[in-house]
Amino acid sequence: MTSRTSSSQARLVGIFVLVLIISLAEFAALLLDYQNNRYLRQYVSDNLGTIILATIGLLFVAGGAGYLVFKRLGIPKSPGPRVPTFARIGSSVGRRYKLIIVFWILLFAASFPLSQQLSQVTTSSTSGGQSSSSQSALAQNLMAQEFPHPQSNASAIILLQGNNVTDNATKIFTLHLEQRLEAPRVLNSLENLTTIYTIARIALIGAYLQKGYNFTAAQSSANQTLWADTLYEILSQYPKLIPPAIIQNFISPNKNAMIILVTFSQAPGSFGSADTDPILKNVVTMRNIISQLKASDPEPLQTYVTGDLATTADSSLGSNADLGRIEPVTVGAILVLAGLFFLAIVTPFVPLATVGMALLMAEGGLYLIGKYIIPIQDTTTTFLFTIMLGVGTDYAIFLMARYREERVEGRDKAKAIQTSITWSGESIATSATTVIIAFGAMTLTSFTLLRSIGVGLGFGVLIALLVSLTLIPSLILIAGDRIFWPTSGKRFEGYAARARKRRTERPGYSGELQASASKDPS
């Protein structure tokens, strides 16, 4: 009977190992095919939510199968009461805290270079919000294949607004702007710059050629006429020079606004940033040149650079500016509030340092997600900082506050950490799980921006949770009560004695309940 049971167990283990090896091989083959198969990557991007749900379902099935194998093998249960899951985690952290710190340091070192490349896979494009299976997106992809020349996202519009944009001062400003923008190596990949005056110049050259001028003379005379006369003075001399319909495309009927069209031979990259992409940089260059011209021009003229290209650049610039404002305010508020809560100087820096590491590791993971799975919107990286800093600090303070309470009660470091993870860890994990599920639900949408936010923030909260449950307790085990400096050493002992004395003098409901329970164990 024993031999038969052992043979059955060996057969089940062999089948399990065989299935495991086949699964790993299929997974490796899928990864290799995924990296080289554009259609497979597109499918994964379009159906990410469904794939996540299917993966979770498979994990449940695999877990159930594993449990059945466990029961079939008849592995005896360990004697004694059942140990809570988080108590086991706390015990493992207490035994292997040095190894845990080394692991996180190595993971941080591997993630750091990837996080620095995150901007290469984040996009600020305003045209990537819809599902890639929508009619407009399919048509856009087809146009890109059949008509490779860039469309509207390779153009910008300069808007001039004033009392009368056809006056001589505005004309001089426009001609000077045209000269500056068309100068060599000023704008990258400039294709055309079209104003009402460039159209007038071409028309005047044609008119002078009809009069018998050679091209050089016609061009020189056309330029002299443009600089000498206003637009409507030129039109009075040549009534049919420019059709009224064309004029209305550049000058508003009340003559209060005029537009200048700027087109480029290349579109910005899919993951372009206004700081790095040469086409998006053109928007900043145009605005700087306009500001320089306006500084030397007394004409009260309002100028704007707009269009799809400018909107994309503004999205990128705005995201960076917002992050620059959010970071110091958030960090400063956390330092002050955590310092007041713990009455310590060092304590607030522990969650900030660990959350900072978690943030860089999350950004490294997002780089891989953005490179191989779905595009990451730059808005996601802005949200990622605030969300991770908020939840990560919250989790860390929960854990550290419970550790301090356990130390006040006189328990040693290892026991205090284990108890903190056992009870605070359960609350932290429950809270994080609900947040992850909420963000994970956003991956079911067809809107690319929401899917990007759901994936990015859900992944970031998961990293913050793991860091809070493992790295922070490990650091506390090394630093001990010094993390509460200056309330450390004998000061902490005095603080603990005073805290215990206050509880004894004012036990409250919980103290009375404990006293009653100790008197009457039944």
Side-chain angles (χ1 to χ4, degrees):
M1 181 67 180
T2 304
S3 176
R4 206 173 339 166
T5 303
S6 301
S7 176
S8 176
Q9 291 177 356
R11 191 182 304 113
L12 287 173
V13 171
I15 293 173
F16 175 77
V17 172
L18 176 63
V19 172
L20 179 63
I21 293 174
I22 293 175
S23 300
L24 290 175
E26 289 294 330
F27 182 70
L30 180 62
L31 283 180
L32 293 174
D33 186 48
Y34 180 82
Q35 295 181 25
N36 298 285
N37 191 325
R38 181 170 64 88
Y39 299 102
L40 181 58
R41 291 199 303 270
Q42 187 65 48
Y43 175 82
V44 171
S45 178
D46 292 341
N47 300 276
L48 182 63
T50 304
I51 292 173
I52 291 176
L53 288 177
T55 303
I56 294 174
L58 286 173
L59 288 175
F60 275 109
V61 171
Y67 178 75
L68 291 176
V69 170
F70 172 81
K71 296 291 289 183
R72 182 67 181 82
L73 288 175
I75 299 175
K77 296 181 179 179
S78 57
R82 178 181 175 273
V83 180
T85 301
F86 287 92
R88 293 198 294 269
I89 294 176
S91 178
S92 299
V93 171
R95 295 194 307 270
R96 303 180 178 88
Y97 63 93
K98 293 181 180 179
L99 184 62
I100 290 172
I101 292 175
V102 172
F103 168 78
W104 283 112
I105 290 175
L106 292 176
L107 186 59
F108 174 79
S111 302
F112 183 78
L114 297 179
S115 68
Q116 303 307 301
Q117 303 177 57
L118 180 59
S119 60
Q120 298 179 11
V121 296
T122 55
T123 175
S124 55
S125 173
T126 57
S127 61
Q130 73 277 6
S131 168
S132 57
S133 60
S134 65
Q135 186 177 126
S136 60
L138 293 174
Q140 190 174 19
N141 292 334
L142 180 60
M143 288 176 61
Q145 294 174 9
E146 301 298 333
F147 305 98
H149 189 76
Q151 303 298 319
S152 59
N153 62 338
S155 63
I157 299 173
I158 301 175
L159 176 64
L160 308 181
Q161 185 181 32
N163 295 328
N164 182 8
V165 295
T166 63
D167 62 11
N168 192 61
T170 305
K171 180 200 70 175
I172 298 299
F173 177 87
T174 305
L175 292 176
H176 279 138
L177 178 61
E178 182 183 325
Q179 288 179 339
R180 292 284 300 273
L181 296 180
E182 289 184 332
R185 294 183 298 277
V186 172
L187 297 179
N188 299 300
S189 304
L190 176 65
E191 185 176 60
N192 284 312
L193 190 149
T194 308
T195 70
I196 191 64
Y197 296 104
T198 58
I199 295 174
R201 181 185 292 109
I202 294 171
L204 283 172
I205 291 174
Y208 284 119
L209 288 173
Q210 289 179 356
K211 291 182 179 181
Y213 287 69
N214 61 41
F215 182 78
T216 303
Q219 188 178 40
S220 176
S221 299
N223 285 328
Q224 290 176 6
T225 303
L226 278 181
W227 285 95
D229 301 328
T230 65
L231 177 64
Y232 285 94
E233 288 174 347
I234 296 172
L235 293 177
S236 64
Q237 299 175 33
Y238 302 90
K240 298 181 180 180
L241 187 68
I242 304 175
I246 294 180
I247 297 176
Q248 292 175 4
N249 287 334
F250 288 88
I251 299 176
S252 63
N254 58 10
K255 301 179 183 179
N256 288 339
M258 178 171 66
I259 64 173
I260 299 172
L261 301 179
V262 186
T263 58
F264 301 93
S265 59
Q266 295 183 16
S270 300
F271 304 102
S273 166
D275 297 328
T276 57
D277 190 274
I279 305 302
L280 292 178
K281 280 183 177 180
N282 288 331
V283 175
V284 179
T285 302
M286 288 188 289
R287 288 172 176 165
N288 291 337
I289 291 174
I290 291 172
S291 298
Q292 294 169 9
L293 289 176
K294 288 179 66 177
S296 59
D297 191 340
E299 177 73 10
L301 194 66
Q302 296 295 323
T303 57
Y304 309 89
V305 178
T306 183
D308 286 349
L309 189 66
T311 303
T312 302
D314 286 340
S315 176
S316 174
L317 294 170
S319 177
N320 293 335
D322 290 342
L323 193 59
R325 287 190 295 266
I326 290 171
E327 285 180 354
V329 173
T330 308
V331 171
I334 289 175
L335 286 174
V336 172
L337 294 176
L340 291 175
F341 177 77
F342 286 100
L343 295 177
I345 297 175
V346 173
T347 310
F349 291 95
V350 175
L352 282 178
T354 53
V355 171
M357 289 181 62
L359 177 63
L360 285 174
M361 288 185 283
E363 290 180 345
L366 284 186
Y367 168 79
L368 298 176
I369 293 173
K371 186 175 178 64
Y372 296 112
I373 302 179
I374 64 170
I376 300 297
Q377 299 283 332
D378 54 7
T379 309
T380 304
T381 60
T382 304
F383 289 157
L384 182 67
F385 173 81
T386 53
I387 293 295
M388 285 195 65
L389 200 60
V391 299
T393 305
D394 186 39
Y395 301 157
I397 289 177
F398 260 117
L399 195 71
M400 295 169 70
R402 182 58 189 255
Y403 169 79
R404 185 176 66 173
E405 291 297 315
E406 294 299 320
R407 292 289 289 150
V408 165
E409 294 298 326
R411 296 178 179 86
D412 59 64
K413 289 190 301 182
K415 183 62 177 177
I417 280 294
Q418 183 174 1
T419 305
S420 300
I421 296 177
T422 302
W423 303 114
S424 294
E426 186 173 347
S427 301
I428 291 170
T430 303
S431 173
T433 301
T434 57
V435 174
I436 293 171
I437 291 173
F439 283 130
M442 297 172 68
T443 61
L444 302 178
T445 67
S446 60
F447 195 60
T448 307
L449 175 60
L450 293 181
R451 291 166 59 196
S452 171
I453 292 175
V455 171
L457 300 190
F459 180 72
V461 173
L462 176 62
I463 296 297
L465 171 64
L466 296 177
V467 166
S468 299
L469 291 178
T470 57
L471 179 59
I472 292 178
S474 300
L475 294 176
I476 293 175
L477 284 171
I478 288 182
D481 299 334
R482 289 190 293 272
I483 64 168
F484 301 119
W485 188 89
T487 310
S488 58
K490 292 185 178 180
R491 291 192 185 94
F492 186 81
E493 294 176 3
Y495 164 80
R498 290 191 299 272
R500 288 193 295 269
K501 183 179 179 181
R502 286 195 298 269
R503 293 176 185 176
T504 303
E505 294 173 350
R506 297 191 301 273
Y509 173 77
S510 60
E512 293 174 358
L513 187 63
Q514 291 175 2
S516 175
S518 63
K519 291 178 182 178
D520 186 9
S522 62

